Amino acid sequence: MALEHADVQRAAHLARLGLNDEDAARYVDDLGRILEMVDMLQALDTEGIAPLAHPLDVTQRLRADEVTESDQRERFQRCAPAVEDGLYLVPRVVE
Amino acid sequence: MHDKTLAELARSLDAGEFSSRELTQHLLGRIDRLDGELNCFITVTFDQALAAADAADKSRAAGKAGPLTGLPLALKDIFCTRDVRTTAGSRMLDNFISPYDATVVEKLATAGTVSLGKTNMDEFAMGSSNENSHYGPVKNPWDLAAVPGGSSGGSAAAVAAGLVPAAIGTDTGGSIRQPAAFCGITGLKPTYGRVSRYGMIAYASSLDQAGPMARTAEDCALLLSAMAGHDLHDSTCVARGVPDYTEELDTPLAGLKIGLPREYFGDGLAPEVEAAMRDAVKAFESLGASVREVSLPHTHYAIPAYYVIAPAEASSNLSRYDGVRFGHRCDSPSDLIDLYKRSRAEGFGDEVKRRILIGTHTLSEGFFDAYYKKAQQVRRLIRQDFLDAFEEVDVLMGPASPTPAFDLGAKKDPVSMYLQDIYTIAINLAGIPGMSVPAGFVGNRPVGLQILGNHFAEARLLNVAHQFQQATDWHRHRPAFAEENA
Amino acid sequence: MQWETVIGLEVHVQLATRSKIFSGASTAFGAEPNTQACAVDLGLPGVLPVLNEAAVAMAVKFGLAIHAEIPEVSVFDRKNYFYPDLPKGYQTSQMYQPIVGAGVVEITLEDGTTKPIRVHHAHLEEDAGKSLHEDFHGMTGVDLNRAGTPLLEIVSEPDMRSAKEAAAYLKAIHSIVTYLGISDGNMAEGSMRCDVNVSVRPKDQEAFGTRAEIKNVNSFRFVERAIAFEVERQIELLEDGGKVIQETRLFDPDRDETRSMRTKEEANDYRYFPCPDLLPVVLDQAYIDHLRDNLPELPAEKRARFESELGLSAYDASVLSATREMADYFEEVKDVCGDAKQAANWVQGELAGALNREGLAIADSPVSAHQLGELIARVIDDTINGKAAKQVFQALWNGQGAKADDVIEAQGLKQVTDTGAIEAMIDQVIADSPAQVAQYRDAEPEKRGKMIGYFVGQVMKASRGTANPQQVNQLLKQKLDALC
């Protein structure tokens, strides 16, 4: 499956990665070669094979419904780039 | 002091030959003198280390010392450490002081170990040479022109250089085993789910696993006994008892059935590495093991499958780095999209961006089935290869890497770098445990023997590696760099 | 042309767990911003989710209540997109293998008829935080307290054909989740939110028309109004030769209209894939059976029982079973007084009126069900008459006494049934009203019935309302007629 410039731009937008044209051109090239290597998978017949999401066949353990966490806002917001009145600030979001 | 194994250091501390504070000070001094050249550490925690050493000396004096009390180690900078900078080798987290401890960090602290600091790594554990670190490459102490391997390159080089007797790494596609091989130390990637991932910064969640890196299998056993076990904070960490991994170290290997995967000895394997492997196998035979060839028929699909699954998970795992709650934020964003795009463009390095883009692309509409679903089907086939092999043999052996450490800057093309991991990556897809132990040299660069076992067979792997280390002395070699600068 | 409306609803119900779906942070409403957002909710580097058992149990209970299939295995997926109120850059949800399969919700329309609405599935997911657009120097503030609150998203089939049916469906869901105790159902606090898919088609056409999705319609009333507006808009558009475009719209209750959300050209691509941090949830039959065995009586069952066992009318049964609080209150009143019909009359009459006047919910009634039951019992055993009962109710409402009996005693409201005493009062009234007695005597016999009211009033007044009105009537008639 060939990779187009538009595919890279689209992925970059979905991933919110700023790319200039020069970067984008380089990534089209790199990603194209990676996908070429990945395309080797298509040669393998996997009809009827169930996808494997986890290496072990174990199931989800459930947690008791208990409040175990207390307020650590001050501590957590020490590493935040912009806060005011306990809120994280971002450029205005237009609804 | 810096030459000793953890087990030896524990005996010296017990015997009162020196205190944990003296040992810690000695190693901090070495880091101070030598690490300018090697660049193993991103952050050295002098004050916390000395405080922990003092506390360890106190509990030893009070007769409360456990097997690891007062023993120094280093943590890959992927483990969150409370009140200490935790960067994952990325500019994105250059200013991130973690507000909490990873479970592994907590467990090791509870066991009385003394962390000297946070080691260098490929950014977000993406790399096989440690050249993808925002903090610069690490040099291999055996040959300063060579890479230490990656992504746990700082951890491996620090142990090899005698800056610290042991370090904790993580392994998503070989990131413990390959640098251990390149730096001539012993490293263990446990079974997926054996060690908690809580607080370990995620690269690819279904593949990531933390493990010990040290001079000997015995030391790895000591560390794994302290690190492993159930964690209520990690759903994927199995509720299964943790044995004392040192207990079975001395079990004789007579009757051990070793399988050599045909696919691990084919094209691309350096002849000198192959020769070292054959020698190692002979050593096992002389210990009473039997050897047969086996096949892992889907071996060559492991790298392609990995480069779908790992980037897909990574693209999602790394979305949280958005410049809002922590981490890098660009200057004066004009709007929300600009905040996201510039913060992430500035915060992430090249390889991370490549993998985010690949993962985003392969998960997107119209591609999901052809890439992601296909890769997961192949993943099942790859796991089945191993499960079938372990019906016939106890352990598998082969090279950890097709070549010894390559030169810094030698691999510019990402795909050729990826292909380096041909022997390690399938192990993560299958979730089985694997070790690398020193098994010779090509010139002055070490070669690692990889030993693989079935799920939760860590005790067996450690036993096999330990017996090999009783019979060989590759693990006792020290790089000239460490000696000259003693 | 005749048009038919087709409606499907996606209802998001916040589950009433103590802690969040994947973390141990509190879900309590109204805390200071970000004080209930723990490391996991914030998506700090390295944190991992662990699933809350109560959220699973609540989802399964809902499934059992709507007779849905509960699959053995369900899986969590990640829905990837960037938004400031979504800390991890993905929402953990269930795309492919939801916890609740297909089921049915029965709705009751105003004329008392019922209609089954099919539920496609219901899945668990985490709620997002909130963006606050007040003035932060032109910035938006983000509060992540709500992030990670468990949601059950209930997705209906497009089975509704009018705004009224949609509102009835929403009420039915509300009633089921509050009966089960799996949500407080508080729409004002956002505990229940709803997206509405609306389309229209020519009456005889089989294929669905293009639908618009109206996001976040947060009250029963708004659902009706939003649909009414949207249906009109679509019909007008189509009749003018236009086309409905598939889009997301917002309902503006102030202007009573829906309007297009300014979406960018790009379609969303959420890149769903199984969450690698969570394992498949496997529910064994014993667990499901245990939850089934402990389900409370549900609104439909209760309504049926109120009709068949208590002999209430369909209307009364439906009103009294509408909410669990109402039903519980009514049943306690009935148990204490021993008469279902009297209990139904009082709860829907005097009590409902008083609650309405003061804008109170039944749970906040100053008169408890037990107090009301005792009061009604005193009416039934003739201790007081109806008029006095209203006085006693008012006294209890105002807190003037803890029990009906105390009020009756204190205010001397006990009914006088002693014939001698009543006769004495009647005689006095007759003696004091010669003019009225004369009029009575002179009147045509058929008109006398009306005229007796004056005398009854006087006697009741003389007894301060305590005389038994039937006795007064009967005795007065005898005595007056004797004078004729």
Side-chain angles (χ1 to χ4, degrees), chain C residues 84 96-97 128 226 383 403 422:
Chain C
Y96 301 106
Q97 291 179 264
T383 304
K403 290 167 65 89
I422 295 175

Side-chain angles (χ1 to χ4, degrees), chain B residues 70-305:
Chain B
L71 297 179
L73 48 72
L75 303 164
K76 186 177 182 178
D77 205 16
I78 201 166
F79 294 99
C80 283
T81 40
R82 190 176 164 105
D83 297 332
V84 173
R85 186 165 73 135
T86 300
T87 70
S90 181
R91 182 183 177 202
M92 182 58 87
L93 291 176
D94 187 55
N95 59 3
F96 180 64
I97 310 293
S98 173
Y100 77 108
D101 269 336
T103 298
V104 163
V105 172
E106 214 173 75
K107 279 180 180 266
L108 288 168
T110 305
T113 65
V114 175
S115 169
L116 304 189
K118 312 290 292 288
T119 56
N120 205 340
M121 57 183 282
D122 284 302
E123 184 177 5
F124 285 102
M126 299 179 192
S128 309
S129 69
N130 218 119
E131 292 167 297
N132 297 334
S133 169
H134 172 64
Y135 300 92
V138 175
K139 290 180 183 164
N140 190 321
W142 289 94
D143 184 339
L144 298 180
V147 301
S151 66
S152 312
S155 291
V159 174
L163 305 184
V164 69
I168 309 303
T170 64
D171 189 319
T172 306
S175 284
I176 286 176
R177 291 159 290 154
Q178 182 252 26
F182 282 12
C183 290
I185 66 165
T186 305
L188 166 65
K189 180 205 92 78
T191 307
Y192 181 82
R194 178 72 288 190
V195 175
S196 167
R197 293 186 297 115
Y198 188 76
M200 189 177 117
I201 295 177
Y203 158 24
S205 313
S206 78
L207 302 160
D208 294 342
Q209 186 63 197
M213 304 172 81
R215 300 206 164 98
T216 63
E218 182 184 16
D219 286 1
C220 286
L222 281 166
L223 287 169
L224 184 63
S225 300
M227 292 167 70
H230 187 42
D231 180 10
L232 293 174
H233 293 297
D234 178 0
S235 303
T236 62
C237 184
V238 296
R240 191 182 168 113
V242 179
D244 175 350
Y245 288 105
T246 59
E247 261 175 14
E248 286 182 46
L249 292 175
D250 294 325
T251 307
L253 297 189
L256 179 77
K257 285 182 275 184
I258 297 172
L260 303 181
R262 184 181 310 140
E263 294 78 8
Y264 284 30
F265 291 87
D267 285 347
L269 178 60
E272 303 95 322
V273 175
E274 180 166 2
M277 295 302 111
R278 301 286 175 203
D279 288 346
V281 168
K282 270 185 211 132
F284 280 108
E285 281 175 317
S286 67
L287 292 170
S290 66
V291 177
R292 74 178 75 167
E293 195 180 85
V294 297
S295 176
L296 301 170
H298 297 96
T299 296
H300 292 285
Y301 297 101
I303 290 179

Side-chain angles (χ1 to χ4, degrees), chain B residues 191 386 390 394-396 432-435 451-457 461:
Chain B
T191 307
F386 286 104
F390 290 123
D394 301 315
V395 292
L396 296 169
I432 59 171
M435 289 189 76
I451 310 171
L452 307 173
N454 209 339
H455 293 131
F456 300 104
L461 288 191

Side-chain angles (χ1 to χ4, degrees), chain C residues 5 7 9 110 162-171 187 194 196 198 214 217-232 251 256 258:
Chain C
T5 306
I7 303 162
L9 257 56
E110 271 171 3
S162 69
K164 292 241 178 291
E165 288 188 11
Y169 171 79
L170 195 58
K171 281 182 186 152
M187 296 184 94
C194 159
V196 187
V198 183
I214 315 170
V217 194
N218 296 337
S219 84
F220 298 119
R221 216 151 39 90
F222 290 173
V223 165
E224 286 200 52
R225 281 166 49 187
I227 293 172
F229 173 86
E230 182 60 20
V231 167
E232 206 172 306
F251 177 63
D256 216 0
T258 68

Side-chain angles (χ1 to χ4, degrees), chain B residues 327-343:
Chain B
H328 179 72
R329 180 181 184 123
C330 66
D331 282 333
S332 0
S334 60
D335 59 18
L336 185 64
I337 288 272
D338 185 46
L339 165 73
Y340 287 151
K341 289 196 169 177
R342 266 202 297 136
S343 299

Side-chain angles (χ1 to χ4, degrees), chain A residues 10 13-14 16 54 59-60 62-63 65-69 71 73 84 86-90 92-95, chain C residues 18-20 23-24 33-34 50-53 83 133 136-138 140-142 266 269 276 278-280 282:
Chain A
R10 182 184 138 79
H13 178 66
L14 284 172
R16 299 293 184 268
H54 295 280
T59 61
Q60 180 64 34
L62 302 177
R63 176 177 67 77
D65 181 23
E66 284 160 8
V67 175
T68 54
E69 304 302 310
D71 174 25
R73 181 175 80 182
E84 192 174 311
L87 296 158
Y88 295 96
L89 294 188
V90 296
R92 193 165 188 84
V93 177
V94 189
E95 289 270 292
Chain C
R18 284 185 284 271
S19 63
K20 297 199 176 161
S23 82
N34 291 310
V50 184
L51 182 59
N52 185 336
E53 189 274 336
Y83 205 71
H133 306 293
F136 294 102
H137 335 290
T140 289
V142 182
E266 44 158 331
D269 184 343
L278 291 163
L279 301 164
V282 175

